[in-house]
């Protein structure tokens, strides 16, 4: 009940029908983030594309200028010098078949991202039905199937995010923490919006960016004015 009261107070503190410019929207989201923990700020972008069409998918990755504020645990499935490179780059867990067995037998998921080399995809693929629903299946498009595992590990640790269209034509993506402040959050959001605009499918017609909304973990959504795309 206490949280609901705070939420209600937040709703009264700004005009929900109004669209704010980026800096003002970020400040409003920060002000309405009333939880006692450092809330994550998320960007929600509705696009004018048809997610049912294969040629209108919008997906990509980028390293946010100021990171995400969360340190992700990385598992690298690789052998030999690639395993050594992953360890040197700061991977939290490194191994080969034994890691796959650990996931299968012990239901072990103490990691946020799995990275693997192409030659190990056959092994990783055995547990694809387990990894897929959890969003952990490595994919070349997200840079998690690569020969350069060291670079992949460093990017994840630096704050790489993946953005992709959901079934309702909306992209949901974290852009940092409340404690980042207006400038760092605005910089991250601008970088993500630029990436989404550049990823516009050639077959997309009409208005591409339909709406942009910012929200904290426990707070209400704030509309953002976006005139590009």
């Amino acid at each position: 009940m206490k949280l609901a009261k705070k939420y209600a107070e937040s709703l009264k503190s700004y005009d929900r029908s109004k669209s704010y410019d980026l800096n003002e929207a970020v400040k409003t989201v920060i002000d309405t983030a009333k939880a006692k923990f450092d809330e994550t700020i998320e960007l929600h972008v509705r696009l004018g594309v048809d997610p049912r069409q294969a040629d209108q998918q919008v997906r990509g990755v980028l390293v946010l200028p100021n990171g995400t504020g969360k340190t992700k645990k990385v598992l690298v499935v690789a052998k030999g010098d690639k395993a050594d490179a992953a360890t040197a780059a700061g991977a939290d867990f490194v191994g080969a078949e034994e890691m796959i067995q650990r996931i299968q037998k012990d239901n072990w998921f103490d990691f946020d991202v799995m990275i693997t080399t192409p030659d190990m995809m056959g092994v990783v693929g055995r547990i694809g039905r387990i990894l897929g629903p959890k969003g952990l299946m490595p994919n070349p498009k997200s840079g998690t199937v690569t020969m350069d595992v060291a670079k992949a590990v460093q990017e994840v640790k630096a704050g790489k995010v993946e953005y992709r269209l959901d079934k309702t034509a909306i992209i949901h993506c974290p852009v940092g923490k409340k404690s980042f402040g207006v400038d760092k959050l605005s910089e991250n959001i601008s970088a993500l919006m630029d990436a989404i605009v550049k990823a516009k499918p050639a077959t997309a017609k009409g208005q591409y960016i339909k709406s942009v909304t910012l929200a904290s973990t426990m707070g209400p959504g704030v509309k953002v004015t976006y005139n590009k795309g």
Side-chain angles (χ1 to χ4, degrees):
M1 289 300 291
K2 193 179 286 185
L3 190 62
K5 185 180 177 183
K6 288 180 180 177
Y7 189 89
E9 287 173 358
S10 294
L11 287 175
K12 292 176 184 176
S13 66
Y14 73 104
D15 186 349
R16 292 173 68 194
S17 64
K18 177 185 172 184
S19 282
Y20 296 82
D21 68 46
L22 182 55
N23 284 356
E24 197 177 358
V26 172
K27 185 179 184 304
T28 303
V29 166
I30 290 173
D31 290 343
T32 56
K34 305 286 189 183
K36 290 182 179 178
F37 61 92
D38 191 9
E39 294 184 53
T40 295
I41 309 300
E42 261 202 6
L43 186 70
H44 307 274
V45 185
R46 183 182 293 278
L47 299 179
V49 297
D50 185 351
R52 296 169 297 179
Q53 304 299 320
D55 59 359
Q56 291 195 32
Q57 295 302 307
V58 179
R59 179 178 185 174
V61 293
L62 81 154
V63 177
L64 294 174
N66 302 296
T68 62
K70 180 185 177 185
T71 303
K72 291 187 176 180
K73 289 184 181 179
V74 180
L75 164 63
V76 176
V77 179
K79 290 182 175 179
D81 60 345
K82 297 300 179 186
D84 294 339
T87 302
D92 300 274
F93 309 100
V94 180
E97 284 87 353
E98 74 276 12
M99 288 297 184
I100 303 304
Q101 289 172 3
R102 188 177 175 187
I103 292 168
Q104 273 182 310
K105 292 180 180 178
D106 302 336
N107 199 34
W108 175 74
F109 290 100
D110 190 25
F111 57 93
D112 302 298
V113 178
M114 180 190 285
I115 295 167
T116 189
T117 48
D119 59 298
M120 292 300 291
M121 271 303 286
V123 176
V124 173
R126 292 177 203 160
I127 59 168
R129 59 189 174 78
I130 302 173
L131 297 172
K134 293 180 179 291
L136 294 170
M137 186 68 184
N139 187 302
K141 289 183 179 178
S142 63
T144 48
V145 178
T146 175
M147 290 300 287
D148 196 348
V149 290
K151 181 184 177 186
V153 170
Q154 288 163 353
E155 286 182 344
V156 170
K157 293 290 187 180
K160 185 172 83 169
V161 294
E162 179 180 8
Y163 59 89
R164 61 187 301 179
L165 202 67
D166 70 8
K167 292 177 182 178
T168 61
I170 299 175
I171 288 173
H172 311 271
C173 193
V175 290
K177 296 285 189 179
K178 173 185 175 180
S179 59
F180 279 24
V182 174
D183 291 346
K184 286 185 176 180
L185 284 169
S186 294
E187 192 178 355
N188 277 356
I189 293 163
S190 295
L192 178 56
M193 288 303 301
D194 286 348
I196 291 171
V197 169
K198 285 177 184 174
K200 180 181 180 180
T203 53
K205 295 177 181 178
Q207 187 180 358
Y208 179 52
I209 305 292
K210 291 281 191 181
S211 67
V212 181
T213 307
L214 269 180
S216 61
T217 307
M218 309 297 287
V222 178
K223 295 178 184 177
V224 185
T225 302
Y226 193 81
N227 297 319
K228 299 177 187 176

